[in-house]
Amino acid sequence: MFRPLFRTIPPTVSRFSLSCGKKYASTSTGQLAFDWEDPLGTMDLLAEDEIAISATARAYCQENLLPRVLQAYRDENYDREIQEEMGELGLLGATIKGYGCAGVGNVASGLITREVERVDSGYRSGMSVQSALVMGGIEEHGTEEQKERFLPKMAKGKLLGCFGLTEPNHGSDPGSMETVARRHPTKQGVFLLSGSKTWITNSPIADVLMIWAKLDGKVRGFLIERGEVRSGLSTPAIKNKNGLRASITGMILMDDVEVPEENLFPSVEGLKGPFSCLNNARYGIAWGAMGALEDCIDRARTYSLERKQFKGNPLAKYQLIQKKLVDASTDAAFGLLASIQVGRLKDKGMALPEMISMIKRQNCDRALVNARALQEIFGGNAVSYEYGIGRHVANLFVTQTYEGQSDIHSLILGRAITGVQAFC
Amino acid sequence: MFRPLFRTIPPTVSRFSLSCGKKYASTSTGQLAFDWEDPLGTMDLLAEDEIAISATARAYCQENLLPRVLQAYRDENYDREIQEEMGELGLLGATIKGYGCAGVGNVASGLITREVERVDSGYRSGMSVQSALVMGGIEEHGTEEQKERFLPKMAKGKLLGCFGLTEPNHGSDPGSMETVARRHPTKQGVFLLSGSKTWITNSPIADVLMIWAKLDGKVRGFLIERGEVRSGLSTPAIKNKNGLRASITGMILMDDVEVPEENLFPSVEGLKGPFSCLNNARYGIAWGAMGALEDCIDRARTYSLERKQFKGNPLAKYQLIQKKLVDASTDAAFGLLASIQVGRLKDKGMALPEMISMIKRQNCDRALVNARALQEIFGGNAVSYEYGIGRHVANLFVTQTYEGQSDIHSLILGRAITGVQAFC
Amino acid sequence: MFRPLFRTIPPTVSRFSLSCGKKYASTSTGQLAFDWEDPLGTMDLLAEDEIAISATARAYCQENLLPRVLQAYRDENYDREIQEEMGELGLLGATIKGYGCAGVGNVASGLITREVERVDSGYRSGMSVQSALVMGGIEEHGTEEQKERFLPKMAKGKLLGCFGLTEPNHGSDPGSMETVARRHPTKQGVFLLSGSKTWITNSPIADVLMIWAKLDGKVRGFLIERGEVRSGLSTPAIKNKNGLRASITGMILMDDVEVPEENLFPSVEGLKGPFSCLNNARYGIAWGAMGALEDCIDRARTYSLERKQFKGNPLAKYQLIQKKLVDASTDAAFGLLASIQVGRLKDKGMALPEMISMIKRQNCDRALVNARALQEIFGGNAVSYEYGIGRHVANLFVTQTYEGQSDIHSLILGRAITGVQAFC
Amino acid sequence: MFRPLFRTIPPTVSRFSLSCGKKYASTSTGQLAFDWEDPLGTMDLLAEDEIAISATARAYCQENLLPRVLQAYRDENYDREIQEEMGELGLLGATIKGYGCAGVGNVASGLITREVERVDSGYRSGMSVQSALVMGGIEEHGTEEQKERFLPKMAKGKLLGCFGLTEPNHGSDPGSMETVARRHPTKQGVFLLSGSKTWITNSPIADVLMIWAKLDGKVRGFLIERGEVRSGLSTPAIKNKNGLRASITGMILMDDVEVPEENLFPSVEGLKGPFSCLNNARYGIAWGAMGALEDCIDRARTYSLERKQFKGNPLAKYQLIQKKLVDASTDAAFGLLASIQVGRLKDKGMALPEMISMIKRQNCDRALVNARALQEIFGGNAVSYEYGIGRHVANLFVTQTYEGQSDIHSLILGRAITGVQAFC
């Protein structure tokens, strides 16, 4: 088995050992010292169990994900066993209570997400789809029967989900979707789904496909179980991506795919169905982007200290390079605080979608801008994937774009601030 | 008297009425709604008494400072009664325990600072000098006798202080200061101070001048009491400033000014003396800049909703204008969270100088950048001081520059992050 | 008389002595050397007479305008003799052929403009209004009789003009103007103008007011001669501006002001009337902004070399400061080349309005951004007008805003590039 | 044969047919109209033969390079026949007079470079190495015998060169190079080269390797002919690059490689040898980056017009998208003018290295920034190489980095402007 250590304790993150956590940096003399990995002392805001969960997630990611990402990224390969490993650790659907899920708080969930994306945004995407979009969607919109049927297996990573909303001609504007559902002309209690979805993470390997389609003109949610489908479904992979290559992406092509009535979400109608799922995923992206940025800072800092130019001085002695590190560190620290804040409010039911738009937009934007600036420190070596920075830069462009492109979030927030909408 | 209401209760902010506080915005239907004045729900992080203090400070500032700032700014006039009013309200030296001070926490103190700078950075400067630099310096470095002699009157605003560190040739590099102290050749227990200081807020009107000078080659702190000085001291005002005009600034010219030994800080030596004072002041600036930025957002938002162009649409309908509002709101919300975080750590003795560098630098930089962008919304009207935005922009440039110019903080932080110093 | 030297030669700039011109920098060894004042060797693109004109304009501006700008800016005073001095030198309406004007090319005209704005944007504004907007408008739209009546005296600066287009409620959108003209109910050949204009440079001192008003629903141009007006006209100054203070600005309030028919532009109708004037003015602003930026570079470079901090090193040794100088120099050099290019095309009748939008927008934007960055080099001293940089920064904000705010030019260009209009 | 058309005319670009050239855009009514592909009318600055050369190069690149770049980029494959095709067309070493080279001016040469990079920066890199670095280096530093031996075959693309300067530990600081040459202990007139070079474009396929090495402590230039080498030389390819994948890159590992004396550049010593080559290459990069940026604009503009969102409006109707297009178009137009200016000066021997630093730095910086902004327009589709934009973005990062990273050029220019050097 993959990680026998974790087989002896219940596979929920909430009971992980605390050994990796540190509460605050201090010098040998016991005095407080500046910790470049936590410049604003955010560790002080975390509970013991949150620190423990974060430490466990970090250990798993650094030990088990980091060693395979370089090759996976090159080969555009996604190892679906990762989901099972994450399932064993209790990382999937971690905020869900019951159904074999860990039931942790939103900050703990964010900390996990940050650790996964510290390795690679693609791995985080794979997890987000499973956890936030599909499991989260079933938990929020599904019947009790649907929850019991799907969630426990998904929590273990035995059953993989994907989330079918975006269409080839409708990215930022899902309300114009063309995928339709209609009642089967002859079979009672059966719907027929037709249409195409694209840029769907995990679609080629998913067992359960959550499809948003118009039924009688209203957007509704359906769960296609691949194992039950006899015809009309194909999920070709999209290859040769220039980012997020350690994640598998594909289309979903549906031509009268049959779905039984018990796989329809019973009551949610309109875009609030998919949007509530996206809201959870966006919250996670805000956290994840900070993880990726922190890894860029770490790599750039190390490189700037080791690389010597001109009279043997390290690059770190250049003012122009220090400024890049400082800008990035500041944005990472500020972004982390904002993520924690929204997480705490989310636990209380006080996190509004606009708040999530704000942290998703800002953290993705700043992660990307800073990662690009840090990439310059590596000079020619940046072109080599071995240094990791180029991979993060390419990934972060995608995270800025998906689940609400940055400009779209600007308009969502602009509307919230002014009360006036500026979508054309 | 100025505000009789406050004469009946002890003049400490910690007991202010709570009436102005709101905990969270909600719609008429009881549902939570996005509050553009608090986009990330930071109100939820504040204690009841902090909200009360903030509300009281806001009421005072909006009712008593705002109406006079336009004229004061035009005339380059600073009304020293303001300090007495603030003293009555308990706003001066508010974090100091005892000596007639309010003894509030660092977040409450930051909230006060933010309210003052919401009106004008110059008013905040006047308060910061009194509170953070001079009162804070006496509290930290002074003898018990010095504290009792000065602090109670300063807390009331009856005695004004100024802080003399910067010299004409030494701005970012105070270690090279040229002001010297020497023992009087004949009078026992008397020092003679000679040298010049410049860009000193309040120097022309200060009663107590805290002067940093080299004694036997080491930086030491002295308190000149203007009333006791017979010769050698002049404090000419610097006029025709292009920013911070509602604050009075001047030089301090000293030619063998006599200072008695009891006005020397007994033990602090070197730059850590003035730097610990600056640290407190910088912490306040980080808060204040957010207040100024929030006022810019408020003014720009209102203008964009009221100003109609092209077919009667408000400017707020322009995407390019919405983006400016969103960027500014995001930076204000993030900066506020970071200020609260450092304030909480400061209460625990865990706020490192580098943390304060980080929030001072970032909040000032972002306040300035966003205020400038928002200024564009006003078109030609921005050139008129009546709209307030031009005054904030001019002020914020100064706040970015003083108490550690932004680039200097970059190098301080760069050194902390890399361990390598890059000052030339 | 002001400058007797120029009274002995015809007052046209095209015959100025060439003595101040230099063709290219060279070292003492005769080798070419980098010239920070002309980094891309644009001097090589200029004809001898253009160099001579530029040198004469520079001499006048540095010797006669620079010494008075500091006081004028403080006092918000505009000395109308400046126009007479410029008139004597042939700087007014310099591109107009005949009518006592110099008849130089558009590049020469741009070079003059740059030299004036190198001193102050307000002085350049005063000249632009006279030359590009009013004289240019009369030359383009006026009858032969109007030209002969006004242009020669305007060329001498004896008669001052102003340009009344912008209204209090219609800045970026002049098509919605409310000022109207109607035929006098009883007096034949007389129009009555009513309405208000604001932010009008020189309105309080102008002798000839070019007013754009709707006659029978169509925008038409009228010339009000103040000396002939008996009632209904007032032109109050707008005071307390935070930029462009060496230029006088005011309103034009008209209540049934009588204008004789011979003062109506006979044939131009609609916005193309004022827009063709604005086009010429905007062309000049593109040049002027480069002059202001170049002066900022000069001042910042000198300051950075003279100011020593930390171990006696000049600020110029800081990488962060060098970068600011390099960015600014690059934008100045690129902007100058673009201005020359459009000037050459203008001489051939090939300069499209969109080209002028592009250089006006870009040069103003870059001048402002860089001037602000350079301002940081001065630290606290930037707050003092003596260093000049703060004045340029304040002025350049206005130049970015007027005659087409930057965002408006973005939309004009966006429409030209895509064929789709995005004005709300 | 590849392009028989060109076999019937002399293979020099200077005689290409003019058919593709256009002088200026005009509408059907004969009126001038704004041309988004040439916003500032730079076509007007070009001579007829330059327009013809540009048109021919564009035709070749669009017809012959564009169709293969997608696959080449995916496979990291560089087809060396491209050099032979370019050779047939006279595109290699085009500015060299004699030796079978076209002998065109520097602007014509820049126009060619721009067309090649309009397709792909990697193809331009392959050409630049051959033309500017190796052929240019031989022409400048070589003996007459060396020129005759190498240039004609290189001009035909029959013999490929590479340029070995950068070492694993010395990128921005070649003066610290470790590669050494020593006289063979026994063989008269033979040198032994030892050391390693990295990030060398074309090294794995080059026939002639120009190696810079220290001989008696001084940097000297050597030509290794691969066909003559019996031992000690290997040139492994560097694979898995994240940019410039249509160009082949490798190392050069030398262990006592024998080089005969006649392959040593006779007189050039020190860094001025390689630097004069780099200067020519950098000049070309400034042009090339504009080509890549122009292609990004073209692709983004088309996409924004074709892609509909929200009520069927094209993306081009969004203000936020128009602004990205306008910013990019402006920088492209300005950058092109600056490139032409430096080209004209280069023809006169007046182009200083600092001028080339300025246009290389600015054009690469702006191309990259704008390409990234334009990439956002494509939303999720940007992740697909089919849209081309992601490839340009990845390539342009490399062009910003190589042959003088942007920050290094900032310091070169900062030194030139201030006279103070700020390299640590």
PDB file of all heavy atoms in Angstrom, chain C residues 75-87:
ATOM      1  N   ASP C  75       1.714  81.912  -6.676  1.00  0.00           N
ATOM      2  CA  ASP C  75       0.675  82.943  -6.604  1.00  0.00           C
ATOM      3  C   ASP C  75      -0.484  82.679  -7.556  1.00  0.00           C
ATOM      4  O   ASP C  75      -1.414  83.486  -7.616  1.00  0.00           O
ATOM      5  CB  ASP C  75       1.283  84.306  -6.965  1.00  0.00           C
ATOM      6  CG  ASP C  75       2.420  84.680  -6.028  1.00  0.00           C
ATOM      7  OD1 ASP C  75       2.542  84.029  -4.978  1.00  0.00           O
ATOM      8  OD2 ASP C  75       3.179  85.602  -6.361  1.00  0.00           O
ATOM      9  N   GLU C  76      -0.427  81.618  -8.291  1.00  0.00           N
ATOM     10  CA  GLU C  76      -1.446  81.374  -9.325  1.00  0.00           C
ATOM     11  C   GLU C  76      -1.578  82.594 -10.210  1.00  0.00           C
ATOM     12  O   GLU C  76      -2.679  83.123 -10.409  1.00  0.00           O
ATOM     13  CB  GLU C  76      -2.797  81.021  -8.699  1.00  0.00           C
ATOM     14  CG  GLU C  76      -2.868  79.612  -8.192  1.00  0.00           C
ATOM     15  CD  GLU C  76      -4.304  79.152  -7.979  1.00  0.00           C
ATOM     16  OE1 GLU C  76      -4.932  79.678  -7.073  1.00  0.00           O
ATOM     17  OE2 GLU C  76      -4.777  78.271  -8.744  1.00  0.00           O
ATOM     18  N   ASN C  77      -0.490  83.028 -10.699  1.00  0.00           N
ATOM     19  CA  ASN C  77      -0.473  84.243 -11.491  1.00  0.00           C
ATOM     20  C   ASN C  77       0.007  83.944 -12.908  1.00  0.00           C
ATOM     21  O   ASN C  77       0.935  83.171 -13.117  1.00  0.00           O
ATOM     22  CB  ASN C  77       0.491  85.249 -10.852  1.00  0.00           C
ATOM     23  CG  ASN C  77       0.596  86.505 -11.680  1.00  0.00           C
ATOM     24  OD1 ASN C  77      -0.413  87.137 -11.967  1.00  0.00           O
ATOM     25  ND2 ASN C  77       1.809  86.848 -12.102  1.00  0.00           N
ATOM     26  N   TYR C  78      -0.640  84.507 -13.881  1.00  0.00           N
ATOM     27  CA  TYR C  78      -0.166  84.371 -15.257  1.00  0.00           C
ATOM     28  C   TYR C  78       0.090  85.766 -15.819  1.00  0.00           C
ATOM     29  O   TYR C  78      -0.817  86.610 -15.853  1.00  0.00           O
ATOM     30  CB  TYR C  78      -1.194  83.647 -16.124  1.00  0.00           C
ATOM     31  CG  TYR C  78      -0.747  83.492 -17.562  1.00  0.00           C
ATOM     32  CD1 TYR C  78       0.316  82.646 -17.873  1.00  0.00           C
ATOM     33  CD2 TYR C  78      -1.365  84.197 -18.590  1.00  0.00           C
ATOM     34  CE1 TYR C  78       0.741  82.501 -19.188  1.00  0.00           C
ATOM     35  CE2 TYR C  78      -0.945  84.052 -19.901  1.00  0.00           C
ATOM     36  CZ  TYR C  78       0.113  83.203 -20.198  1.00  0.00           C
ATOM     37  OH  TYR C  78       0.537  83.056 -21.488  1.00  0.00           O
ATOM     38  N   ASP C  79       1.295  85.963 -16.211  1.00  0.00           N
ATOM     39  CA  ASP C  79       1.726  87.263 -16.702  1.00  0.00           C
ATOM     40  C   ASP C  79       1.437  87.349 -18.199  1.00  0.00           C
ATOM     41  O   ASP C  79       2.091  86.709 -19.012  1.00  0.00           O
ATOM     42  CB  ASP C  79       3.227  87.377 -16.423  1.00  0.00           C
ATOM     43  CG  ASP C  79       3.805  88.696 -16.898  1.00  0.00           C
ATOM     44  OD1 ASP C  79       3.052  89.509 -17.465  1.00  0.00           O
ATOM     45  OD2 ASP C  79       5.010  88.889 -16.698  1.00  0.00           O
ATOM     46  N   ARG C  80       0.450  88.174 -18.577  1.00  0.00           N
ATOM     47  CA  ARG C  80       0.063  88.163 -19.989  1.00  0.00           C
ATOM     48  C   ARG C  80       1.114  88.769 -20.900  1.00  0.00           C
ATOM     49  O   ARG C  80       1.070  88.584 -22.116  1.00  0.00           O
ATOM     50  CB  ARG C  80      -1.324  88.771 -20.219  1.00  0.00           C
ATOM     51  CG  ARG C  80      -1.450  90.261 -20.110  1.00  0.00           C
ATOM     52  CD  ARG C  80      -2.802  90.690 -20.692  1.00  0.00           C
ATOM     53  NE  ARG C  80      -2.755  90.725 -22.162  1.00  0.00           N
ATOM     54  CZ  ARG C  80      -3.812  90.813 -22.948  1.00  0.00           C
ATOM     55  NH1 ARG C  80      -5.023  90.856 -22.434  1.00  0.00           N
ATOM     56  NH2 ARG C  80      -3.674  90.866 -24.266  1.00  0.00           N
ATOM     57  N   GLU C  81       2.090  89.441 -20.333  1.00  0.00           N
ATOM     58  CA  GLU C  81       3.191  89.922 -21.168  1.00  0.00           C
ATOM     59  C   GLU C  81       3.947  88.777 -21.840  1.00  0.00           C
ATOM     60  O   GLU C  81       4.610  88.961 -22.844  1.00  0.00           O
ATOM     61  CB  GLU C  81       4.178  90.735 -20.334  1.00  0.00           C
ATOM     62  CG  GLU C  81       3.664  92.133 -20.032  1.00  0.00           C
ATOM     63  CD  GLU C  81       4.659  92.914 -19.184  1.00  0.00           C
ATOM     64  OE1 GLU C  81       5.859  92.600 -19.249  1.00  0.00           O
ATOM     65  OE2 GLU C  81       4.216  93.815 -18.460  1.00  0.00           O
ATOM     66  N   ILE C  82       3.869  87.609 -21.203  1.00  0.00           N
ATOM     67  CA  ILE C  82       4.550  86.458 -21.799  1.00  0.00           C
ATOM     68  C   ILE C  82       4.098  86.267 -23.249  1.00  0.00           C
ATOM     69  O   ILE C  82       4.901  85.961 -24.130  1.00  0.00           O
ATOM     70  CB  ILE C  82       4.276  85.191 -20.953  1.00  0.00           C
ATOM     71  CG1 ILE C  82       5.039  85.294 -19.634  1.00  0.00           C
ATOM     72  CG2 ILE C  82       4.650  83.933 -21.708  1.00  0.00           C
ATOM     73  CD1 ILE C  82       4.678  84.215 -18.620  1.00  0.00           C
ATOM     74  N   GLN C  83       2.802  86.454 -23.462  1.00  0.00           N
ATOM     75  CA  GLN C  83       2.305  86.263 -24.835  1.00  0.00           C
ATOM     76  C   GLN C  83       2.907  87.307 -25.781  1.00  0.00           C
ATOM     77  O   GLN C  83       3.192  87.005 -26.941  1.00  0.00           O
ATOM     78  CB  GLN C  83       0.771  86.330 -24.854  1.00  0.00           C
ATOM     79  CG  GLN C  83       0.104  85.231 -24.032  1.00  0.00           C
ATOM     80  CD  GLN C  83      -0.449  84.073 -24.863  1.00  0.00           C
ATOM     81  OE1 GLN C  83      -0.317  84.057 -26.102  1.00  0.00           O
ATOM     82  NE2 GLN C  83      -1.022  83.098 -24.212  1.00  0.00           N
ATOM     83  N   GLU C  84       3.088  88.503 -25.282  1.00  0.00           N
ATOM     84  CA  GLU C  84       3.700  89.508 -26.159  1.00  0.00           C
ATOM     85  C   GLU C  84       5.157  89.169 -26.451  1.00  0.00           C
ATOM     86  O   GLU C  84       5.643  89.344 -27.570  1.00  0.00           O
ATOM     87  CB  GLU C  84       3.575  90.900 -25.532  1.00  0.00           C
ATOM     88  CG  GLU C  84       2.113  91.342 -25.440  1.00  0.00           C
ATOM     89  CD  GLU C  84       1.964  92.780 -24.968  1.00  0.00           C
ATOM     90  OE1 GLU C  84       2.688  93.669 -25.458  1.00  0.00           O
ATOM     91  OE2 GLU C  84       1.115  93.011 -24.092  1.00  0.00           O
ATOM     92  N   GLU C  85       5.851  88.676 -25.440  1.00  0.00           N
ATOM     93  CA  GLU C  85       7.233  88.268 -25.659  1.00  0.00           C
ATOM     94  C   GLU C  85       7.296  87.141 -26.693  1.00  0.00           C
ATOM     95  O   GLU C  85       8.107  87.159 -27.604  1.00  0.00           O
ATOM     96  CB  GLU C  85       7.850  87.786 -24.351  1.00  0.00           C
ATOM     97  CG  GLU C  85       7.978  88.870 -23.286  1.00  0.00           C
ATOM     98  CD  GLU C  85       8.265  88.295 -21.907  1.00  0.00           C
ATOM     99  OE1 GLU C  85       8.708  87.128 -21.842  1.00  0.00           O
ATOM    100  OE2 GLU C  85       8.039  88.996 -20.921  1.00  0.00           O
ATOM    101  N   MET C  86       6.413  86.171 -26.509  1.00  0.00           N
ATOM    102  CA  MET C  86       6.379  85.059 -27.469  1.00  0.00           C
ATOM    103  C   MET C  86       6.023  85.577 -28.858  1.00  0.00           C
ATOM    104  O   MET C  86       6.548  85.103 -29.867  1.00  0.00           O
ATOM    105  CB  MET C  86       5.364  84.004 -27.021  1.00  0.00           C
ATOM    106  CG  MET C  86       5.816  83.224 -25.793  1.00  0.00           C
ATOM    107  SD  MET C  86       4.554  82.001 -25.323  1.00  0.00           S
ATOM    108  CE  MET C  86       5.482  80.989 -24.155  1.00  0.00           C
ATOM    109  N   GLY C  87       5.134  86.531 -28.879  1.00  0.00           N
ATOM    110  CA  GLY C  87       4.754  87.127 -30.157  1.00  0.00           C
ATOM    111  C   GLY C  87       5.940  87.785 -30.837  1.00  0.00           C
ATOM    112  O   GLY C  87       6.169  87.611 -32.045  1.00  0.00           O
TER     113      GLY C  87
END
